[in-house]
Amino acid sequence: MAEDIEKAVARRRTFAIIAHPDAGKTTLTEKLLLFGGAIQLAGEVKAKKDKIQTRSDWMKIERERGISVVTSVMTFEYGDNVFNLLDTPGHEDFADDTYRTLSAVDSAVMVIDAAKGIEPRTLKLFEVCRLRDIPIITFVNKMDREARNTFEVLDEIEEKLALDTAPITWPIGQGKTFAGTYHLAQNAVRRGDDEKERTEVHGPDSNRAAGLLPDNDRPAFIEELELAREACRPFDLQAFREGHLTPVYFGSALRNFGVRDLIEALGEFGPAPRAQEADTRKVEATEEKMTSFVFKIQANMDPNHRDRIAFVRVCSGELKRGMKAKLVRTGKPMSLSAPQFFFARSRITADEAYAGDVVGIPNHGTLRIGDTLTEGEDILFRGVPNFAPEILRRVRLGDAMKAKKLKEALHQMAEEGVVQLFQPEDGSPAIVGVVGALQIDVLKERLSVEYTLPVDFEMARFSICRWIDADDAADLHRFIESHRGDIARDLDNDPVFLAQHEFSLNYEAERWKMIRFAAIKDYQ
Ligand code: GDP
C-alpha cells in the first residue's frame, strides 16, 4: 500500500554522521542499525570495515589501506520513524564525496570523542553543514573512558564552532563510574540502552533517584546538575532548525549508553525532509509530483555485474517502481524499472519511495552526479557542488593505440565523480584533477582492473584550477582568447583557468577584475 505522502514525509529523517576518524562513527552506526532492527548482531558494520566489504571486493586499494572509500546509505525504522543514514567516507582525500553526500541530508549527528573534543576534521565537516544550514545534534561519545569535564566540552563546542549548545541529557559520572544519562527537562534516568524507557525520578535529590544514581558520587552530581541548569542554555527548536544551536547528548556507543537518547532525539525534533531549492522555484517535500537528484554514483557494487548505481535523493512526490521519469539535463525519458533500497548488508527493490528517501538506480552511464529527475517539469536542483581539484595530473598512456578507450574510461570516471576531467583548449592531453591523492590511486587501480589500461600520471604544469565566468560574455571570451594555453574545459564544457601557482592566479585576478575565478562550481 502506498503511504499518504504527507504522513510518509513527516516520519522520515535523513541524516549523516560527521566525525573525526576514531571518534566512533562506525560503532555508533552499528548501534543505530542494531536498535533500528536493521541488523541482528552488532559487529556487522565493524566486520565489514575490518575485513572486506564484499561489494567493494574489487577494490584492492581499499583492502590494502584498511579504509572504506565507498559511501552508502542505510535505512532503518525506529518507533514511527523511517531513518535514512547516509554514510560518508572518513578519509579526507574523499572530501568531495562527503560534501556531495551532505547535500542530500536534512540533519547531521556530530560525534565527538569526550576526551579529545573538537578535532580538525570535525571542524571542517561542521563548516560544510553550516554553509547549508544543516541542523546538528551532538553526541559526546566515549563517556566510559577518561573524559573532559562536561562544562569544558560544551564550552569548546561553543567557542570553536561558534554554535550555541543545549545539553538535553547530562552524563551520570564518567570513565569507570559512568552509569547512564539524566534527562534534564524530564528529570528521568536511563542506565543504558537496554532500558527502553527512562525512569522518572522527579529530581536528582529525590528518594526515587537514590537507587538510580551512584551513592558515593551523588552529592557532587546533584551540585553539577544544579550548575548545569543555571549555566546552560535551554533547548530552542527554532534555533536548532536554523543551525544556530545544537542539542547535546552524552553516551558510549561501544558500551550502549545514550544511543537510544540520540535516536529518540532524531525522531522527536530532527527535521523531516526539507523543501529543496531548484533553479526556478523551491520544491516542497509534500508536493505530489516526483522530483529527485543524483548525489552519488557508485560503480561495481556487485563484481559479477558491472553495474553502475546512481544514488538519488527523492525531494518530493512518490518515486514508484516502473515509472517514467524525465532526465532534465537531456530532456529524455528514463524508465525507473528497478530502484533499490539499501540496508546494512542487503538491498531490495523499492516499490515506492518518498521525499528524504535515497534509492539506488542501476544504469549504464545515463545518469551523472547532479542530474535532476522529474515527472516532466524542467527544473534543476542546485547544490551538489564540484570542488576545484587540488592535485592536477596528466595521464600518460603506455599504448597509444588505446587512446580512444582511455578517453571513454576517463569520461566515465568523471561522470561518477571519481575524478574531474579537463580538456585543454590547445589540444594537449587531458588533465585529471582530484581533491585528495588517494583518488589518483583509485583511478589508477580502476583503469587497470576494469579497462586493462595501465597508465601513469605525470605532474602537470599547473597546480591550481578555477572555473571562470563573467557578467559580460565578451569579457569572458577575451580572457579565454588571450590565455589559450591555460584554458581547459570540464565535463560540461565550462571553461576553467589553470594556473601554475597562487601567485599567477592572483596576478590575473588583479588584472581581470571582471572575471570571476570560482573554486566551487555547482553541478549542472
Ligand atoms: P570511526 O573511525 O569514527 O568510525 O571510529 P570507530 O567506531 O571505528 O571507533 C574507533 C575506536 O574507538 C574503536 O576501537 C572503537 O572500539 C572505539 N570506541 C568507539 N566508541 C567507543 C566508546 O563509546 N567507548 C570506548 N571506550 N571506545 C569506543
Side-chain angles (χ1 to χ4, degrees), residues 273-326:
R274 55 162 141 186
Q276 298 276 342
E277 207 62 65
D279 54 349
T280 50
R281 69 183 188 92
K282 206 175 204 175
V283 177
E284 296 296 330
T286 49
E287 287 180 23
E288 297 245 317
K289 292 261 197 278
M290 188 282 292
T291 62
S292 57
F293 67 86
V294 179
F295 66 93
K296 179 174 176 72
I297 305 261
Q298 199 166 304
N300 307 298
M301 300 249 316
D302 179 348
N304 299 321
H305 305 90
R306 282 199 15 180
D307 61 349
R308 191 161 140 174
I309 303 273
F311 286 91
V312 163
R313 147 124 192 176
V314 181
C315 300
S316 67
E318 211 179 321
L319 189 150
K320 283 193 276 258
R321 180 159 64 99
M323 80 189 296
K324 278 238 166 16
K326 178 177 185 173

Coordinates of all heavy atoms in Angstrom, one line a residue, residues 273-326:
P273 N 12.1 15.8 5.9 CA 12.7 16.3 4.6 C 12.3 17.7 4.3 O 11.1 18.1 4.4 CB 12.1 15.3 3.6 CG 11.9 14.0 4.4 CD 11.5 14.5 5.8
R274 N 13.3 18.5 4.0 CA 13.0 19.9 3.8 C 12.7 20.2 2.4 O 12.9 19.4 1.5 CB 14.2 20.7 4.3 CG 15.5 20.4 3.7 CD 16.5 21.5 3.9 NE 17.9 21.0 4.1 CZ 18.8 21.9 4.5 NH1 18.6 23.2 4.6 NH2 20.0 21.4 4.7
A275 N 12.2 21.4 2.2 CA 12.0 21.9 0.8 C 13.3 22.1 0.2 O 14.3 22.4 0.8 CB 11.2 23.2 0.8
Q276 N 13.4 21.8 -1.1 CA 14.7 21.9 -1.8 C 14.7 23.0 -2.8 O 13.7 23.1 -3.6 CB 15.0 20.5 -2.5 CG 15.2 19.4 -1.6 CD 16.5 19.2 -1.0 OE1 17.5 19.8 -1.5 NE2 16.6 18.5 0.1
E277 N 15.8 23.7 -2.9 CA 15.9 24.8 -3.8 C 16.3 24.3 -5.2 O 17.3 23.7 -5.4 CB 17.1 25.7 -3.2 CG 17.0 27.1 -3.6 CD 15.8 27.9 -3.0 OE1 15.7 28.0 -1.7 OE2 15.0 28.3 -3.8
A278 N 15.4 24.6 -6.2 CA 15.7 24.3 -7.5 C 16.0 25.7 -8.3 O 15.9 26.7 -7.6 CB 14.6 23.6 -8.2
D279 N 16.4 25.6 -9.5 CA 16.8 26.9 -10.2 C 15.7 27.9 -10.3 O 15.9 29.1 -10.1 CB 17.4 26.6 -11.6 CG 16.5 25.7 -12.5 OD1 15.5 25.2 -12.0 OD2 16.8 25.6 -13.7
T280 N 14.4 27.4 -10.6 CA 13.4 28.4 -10.8 C 12.4 28.5 -9.6 O 11.6 29.4 -9.5 CB 12.5 28.0 -12.0 OG1 12.2 26.6 -11.9 CG2 13.3 28.2 -13.3
R281 N 12.4 27.5 -8.7 CA 11.5 27.6 -7.6 C 11.9 26.6 -6.5 O 12.8 25.8 -6.6 CB 10.1 27.3 -8.0 CG 9.9 25.8 -8.4 CD 8.5 25.5 -8.9 NE 8.3 24.1 -9.1 CZ 7.8 23.3 -8.2 NH1 7.4 23.7 -7.0 NH2 7.6 22.0 -8.4
K282 N 11.2 26.8 -5.3 CA 11.5 25.9 -4.2 C 10.5 24.7 -4.3 O 9.3 24.9 -4.5 CB 11.3 26.7 -2.9 CG 12.0 26.2 -1.8 CD 11.8 27.1 -0.6 CE 13.0 27.0 0.4 NZ 12.9 27.9 1.5
V283 N 11.0 23.5 -4.1 CA 10.1 22.3 -4.2 C 9.8 21.8 -2.8 O 10.7 21.5 -2.0 CB 10.8 21.2 -5.0 CG1 9.9 20.0 -5.1 CG2 11.1 21.7 -6.5
E284 N 8.6 21.8 -2.5 CA 8.1 21.3 -1.1 C 8.2 19.8 -1.2 O 7.8 19.2 -2.1 CB 6.7 21.8 -0.8 CG 6.6 23.3 -0.7 CD 7.4 23.9 0.5 OE1 7.6 23.2 1.5 OE2 7.8 25.0 0.4
A285 N 8.5 19.2 0.0 CA 8.7 17.7 0.1 C 7.3 17.0 -0.1 O 7.3 15.9 -0.5 CB 9.3 17.4 1.4
T286 N 6.2 17.7 0.2 CA 4.9 17.1 0.1 C 4.2 17.3 -1.2 O 3.1 16.9 -1.3 CB 4.0 17.6 1.3 OG1 4.1 19.0 1.2 CG2 4.5 17.1 2.6
E287 N 4.9 17.9 -2.2 CA 4.2 18.0 -3.5 C 4.0 16.6 -4.1 O 4.7 15.7 -3.8 CB 5.2 18.8 -4.4 CG 5.2 20.3 -4.1 CD 6.1 21.1 -5.0 OE1 6.4 20.6 -6.2 OE2 6.6 22.2 -4.6
E288 N 3.0 16.6 -4.9 CA 2.5 15.3 -5.4 C 3.5 14.7 -6.5 O 3.7 13.5 -6.5 CB 1.2 15.4 -6.1 CG 0.1 15.9 -5.2 CD -1.0 14.8 -5.0 OE1 -1.3 14.2 -6.1 OE2 -1.4 14.5 -3.9
K289 N 4.0 15.6 -7.3 CA 4.9 15.1 -8.4 C 6.3 14.8 -7.9 O 6.9 15.5 -7.1 CB 4.9 16.2 -9.5 CG 3.6 16.4 -10.2 CD 3.6 15.6 -11.5 CE 2.6 16.0 -12.5 NZ 1.3 15.5 -12.4
M290 N 6.8 13.7 -8.4 CA 8.1 13.2 -8.0 C 9.2 14.2 -8.6 O 9.2 14.5 -9.8 CB 8.4 11.8 -8.5 CG 9.6 11.1 -8.0 SD 11.2 11.6 -8.8 CE 10.9 11.0 -10.5
T291 N 10.1 14.6 -7.7 CA 11.4 15.2 -8.2 C 12.5 14.6 -7.3 O 12.3 14.1 -6.2 CB 11.4 16.7 -7.9 OG1 11.3 17.0 -6.5 CG2 10.3 17.5 -8.6
S292 N 13.7 14.5 -7.9 CA 14.8 13.9 -7.2 C 16.1 14.3 -7.9 O 16.1 14.8 -9.0 CB 14.7 12.4 -7.2 OG 14.6 11.9 -8.5
F293 N 17.2 14.2 -7.2 CA 18.5 14.5 -7.8 C 19.6 13.4 -7.4 O 19.5 12.8 -6.4 CB 19.0 15.9 -7.5 CG 19.4 16.1 -6.0 CD1 20.7 15.8 -5.6 CD2 18.5 16.6 -5.1 CE1 21.0 16.0 -4.2 CE2 18.8 16.9 -3.8 CZ 20.1 16.5 -3.3
V294 N 20.5 13.3 -8.3 CA 21.6 12.3 -8.1 C 22.8 13.0 -7.4 O 23.2 14.0 -7.8 CB 22.2 11.8 -9.5 CG1 23.3 10.8 -9.3 CG2 21.1 11.2 -10.3
F295 N 23.1 12.4 -6.2 CA 24.3 13.0 -5.5 C 25.5 12.1 -5.5 O 26.6 12.5 -5.0 CB 23.9 13.4 -4.1 CG 23.5 12.2 -3.2 CD1 24.5 11.6 -2.4 CD2 22.3 11.7 -3.2 CE1 24.2 10.5 -1.6 CE2 21.9 10.6 -2.4 CZ 22.9 10.0 -1.6
K296 N 25.3 10.9 -5.9 CA 26.4 10.0 -5.9 C 26.3 8.9 -7.0 O 25.2 8.4 -7.2 CB 26.6 9.3 -4.5 CG 27.7 8.4 -4.5 CD 28.1 7.8 -3.2 CE 29.2 6.8 -3.4 NZ 30.5 7.4 -3.7
I297 N 27.4 8.5 -7.6 CA 27.4 7.4 -8.5 C 28.4 6.3 -7.9 O 29.5 6.7 -7.5 CB 27.8 7.8 -9.9 CG1 27.0 8.9 -10.4 CG2 27.8 6.5 -10.8 CD1 25.9 8.6 -11.4
Q298 N 28.0 5.1 -7.9 CA 28.9 4.1 -7.5 C 28.9 3.0 -8.5 O 27.9 2.4 -8.8 CB 28.4 3.6 -6.1 CG 29.6 2.9 -5.4 CD 29.2 2.7 -3.9 OE1 28.8 3.7 -3.2 NE2 29.2 1.5 -3.5
A299 N 30.1 2.7 -8.9 CA 30.3 1.6 -9.9 C 30.7 0.3 -9.2 O 31.2 0.4 -8.0 CB 31.3 1.9 -10.9
N300 N 30.4 -0.8 -9.8 CA 30.9 -2.1 -9.3 C 30.4 -2.5 -7.9 O 31.2 -3.0 -7.1 CB 32.4 -2.1 -9.3 CG 33.0 -1.7 -10.6 OD1 32.8 -2.4 -11.6 ND2 33.7 -0.6 -10.6
M301 N 29.2 -2.2 -7.6 CA 28.7 -2.6 -6.2 C 28.7 -4.1 -6.2 O 28.7 -4.7 -5.2 CB 27.3 -2.0 -6.0 CG 27.3 -0.5 -6.0 SD 27.0 0.2 -4.5 CE 25.7 -0.6 -3.7
D302 N 28.5 -4.7 -7.4 CA 28.4 -6.1 -7.5 C 29.4 -6.5 -8.6 O 29.3 -6.2 -9.7 CB 27.0 -6.5 -7.9 CG 26.8 -8.0 -8.1 OD1 27.9 -8.7 -8.1 OD2 25.7 -8.5 -8.2
P303 N 30.5 -7.2 -8.1 CA 31.6 -7.5 -9.1 C 31.1 -8.4 -10.3 O 31.7 -8.4 -11.3 CB 32.6 -8.2 -8.3 CG 32.0 -8.5 -7.0 CD 30.8 -7.7 -6.8
N304 N 30.0 -9.1 -10.1 CA 29.5 -10.0 -11.1 C 28.8 -9.3 -12.2 O 28.7 -9.7 -13.3 CB 28.7 -11.1 -10.6 CG 29.4 -12.0 -9.6 OD1 30.6 -12.2 -9.8 ND2 28.8 -12.3 -8.5
H305 N 28.2 -8.2 -11.8 CA 27.5 -7.4 -12.8 C 28.2 -6.0 -12.8 O 28.2 -5.3 -11.8 CB 26.0 -7.2 -12.4 CG 25.3 -8.4 -12.2 ND1 25.3 -9.0 -11.0 CD2 24.7 -9.2 -13.1 CE1 24.6 -10.2 -11.1 NE2 24.2 -10.3 -12.4
R306 N 28.7 -5.6 -14.0 CA 29.4 -4.3 -13.9 C 28.3 -3.2 -14.0 O 28.2 -2.5 -14.9 CB 30.3 -4.2 -15.1 CG 31.6 -5.0 -14.8 CD 32.8 -4.7 -15.6 NE 32.8 -3.5 -16.3 CZ 33.8 -3.1 -17.1 NH1 34.9 -3.8 -17.1 NH2 33.7 -2.0 -17.8
D307 N 27.6 -3.1 -12.9 CA 26.5 -2.2 -12.9 C 27.0 -0.8 -12.2 O 28.1 -0.8 -11.6 CB 25.3 -2.7 -12.1 CG 25.6 -3.0 -10.7 OD1 26.8 -3.0 -10.3 OD2 24.6 -3.2 -9.9
R308 N 26.3 0.1 -12.5 CA 26.6 1.4 -12.0 C 25.3 1.9 -11.3 O 24.2 1.9 -11.9 CB 26.9 2.3 -13.2 CG 27.5 3.6 -12.9 CD 28.2 4.1 -14.2 NE 27.9 5.6 -14.3 CZ 28.5 6.3 -15.2 NH1 29.3 5.8 -16.1 NH2 28.2 7.6 -15.3
I309 N 25.4 2.3 -10.0 CA 24.2 2.7 -9.3 C 24.3 4.2 -9.1 O 25.3 4.7 -8.6 CB 24.2 2.0 -7.9 CG1 24.2 0.5 -8.0 CG2 23.0 2.5 -7.1 CD1 22.9 -0.2 -8.2
A310 N 23.2 4.9 -9.5 CA 23.1 6.3 -9.2 C 22.3 6.4 -7.9 O 21.2 5.9 -7.8 CB 22.5 7.0 -10.3
F311 N 22.8 7.1 -6.9 CA 22.1 7.3 -5.7 C 21.3 8.6 -5.8 O 21.9 9.7 -6.1 CB 23.0 7.4 -4.4 CG 23.5 6.0 -4.1 CD1 24.7 5.6 -4.6 CD2 22.8 5.2 -3.2 CE1 25.2 4.3 -4.2 CE2 23.3 4.0 -2.8 CZ 24.5 3.5 -3.4
V312 N 20.0 8.4 -5.6 CA 19.1 9.5 -5.9 C 18.4 9.9 -4.6 O 17.9 9.1 -3.9 CB 18.0 9.1 -6.9 CG1 16.8 9.9 -7.0 CG2 18.7 8.9 -8.3
R313 N 18.4 11.2 -4.3 CA 17.6 11.6 -3.1 C 16.2 12.1 -3.7 O 16.2 13.0 -4.5 CB 18.3 12.8 -2.4 CG 17.3 13.8 -1.8 CD 17.5 14.0 -0.3 NE 16.3 14.8 0.1 CZ 16.1 15.1 1.4 NH1 17.0 14.7 2.3 NH2 15.1 15.8 1.8
V314 N 15.2 11.5 -3.2 CA 13.8 12.0 -3.6 C 13.6 13.3 -2.8 O 13.8 13.4 -1.6 CB 12.8 10.9 -3.2 CG1 11.4 11.4 -3.6 CG2 13.1 9.6 -3.8
C315 N 13.1 14.3 -3.6 CA 12.8 15.6 -3.0 C 11.3 15.8 -2.8 O 10.9 16.6 -1.9 CB 13.4 16.7 -3.9 SG 15.1 16.6 -4.1
S316 N 10.5 15.2 -3.6 CA 9.1 15.4 -3.5 C 8.3 14.2 -4.2 O 8.9 13.5 -5.0 CB 8.6 16.7 -4.1 OG 8.8 16.6 -5.5
G317 N 7.0 14.1 -3.9 CA 6.2 13.1 -4.6 C 6.6 11.7 -4.2 O 7.2 11.4 -3.2
E318 N 6.3 10.8 -5.1 CA 6.4 9.4 -4.9 C 7.2 8.8 -6.1 O 6.8 8.9 -7.2 CB 5.0 8.8 -4.9 CG 4.9 7.6 -4.0 CD 3.5 7.1 -4.1 OE1 2.5 7.9 -4.1 OE2 3.3 5.9 -4.1
L319 N 8.4 8.2 -5.7 CA 9.2 7.6 -6.8 C 8.7 6.1 -6.8 O 8.9 5.4 -5.8 CB 10.7 7.7 -6.5 CG 11.6 7.2 -7.6 CD1 12.9 8.0 -7.6 CD2 11.9 5.8 -7.6
K320 N 8.0 5.7 -7.9 CA 7.5 4.4 -8.0 C 8.2 3.5 -8.9 O 8.7 4.0 -10.0 CB 6.0 4.5 -8.4 CG 5.1 4.9 -7.3 CD 3.6 4.7 -7.7 CE 3.1 5.8 -8.5 NZ 2.3 6.8 -8.1
R321 N 8.3 2.3 -8.6 CA 9.0 1.3 -9.5 C 8.2 1.3 -10.8 O 7.0 1.2 -10.8 CB 9.0 -0.1 -8.9 CG 9.7 -1.1 -9.7 CD 10.1 -2.2 -8.9 NE 9.0 -2.9 -8.3 CZ 8.4 -4.0 -8.7 NH1 8.9 -4.6 -9.8 NH2 7.4 -4.6 -8.1
G322 N 9.0 1.3 -11.9 CA 8.4 1.2 -13.2 C 7.9 2.6 -13.8 O 7.5 2.6 -14.9
M323 N 8.0 3.6 -13.0 CA 7.6 4.9 -13.5 C 8.5 5.5 -14.6 O 9.7 5.1 -14.6 CB 7.4 5.9 -12.4 CG 8.7 6.6 -11.9 SD 8.4 7.6 -10.4 CE 7.3 8.9 -11.0
K324 N 8.0 6.4 -15.4 CA 8.9 7.0 -16.4 C 9.2 8.4 -15.8 O 8.4 9.1 -15.4 CB 8.1 7.3 -17.7 CG 8.1 6.1 -18.6 CD 8.7 6.4 -19.9 CE 9.1 5.2 -20.8 NZ 8.5 3.9 -20.5
A325 N 10.5 8.7 -15.8 CA 10.9 10.0 -15.3 C 11.6 10.8 -16.4 O 12.1 10.2 -17.4 CB 11.8 9.8 -14.1
K326 N 11.7 12.1 -16.2 CA 12.4 12.9 -17.2 C 13.8 13.2 -16.7 O 13.9 13.7 -15.5 CB 11.6 14.1 -17.5 CG 12.3 15.1 -18.5 CD 11.4 16.3 -18.8 CE 12.0 17.2 -19.8 NZ 11.0 18.2 -20.2

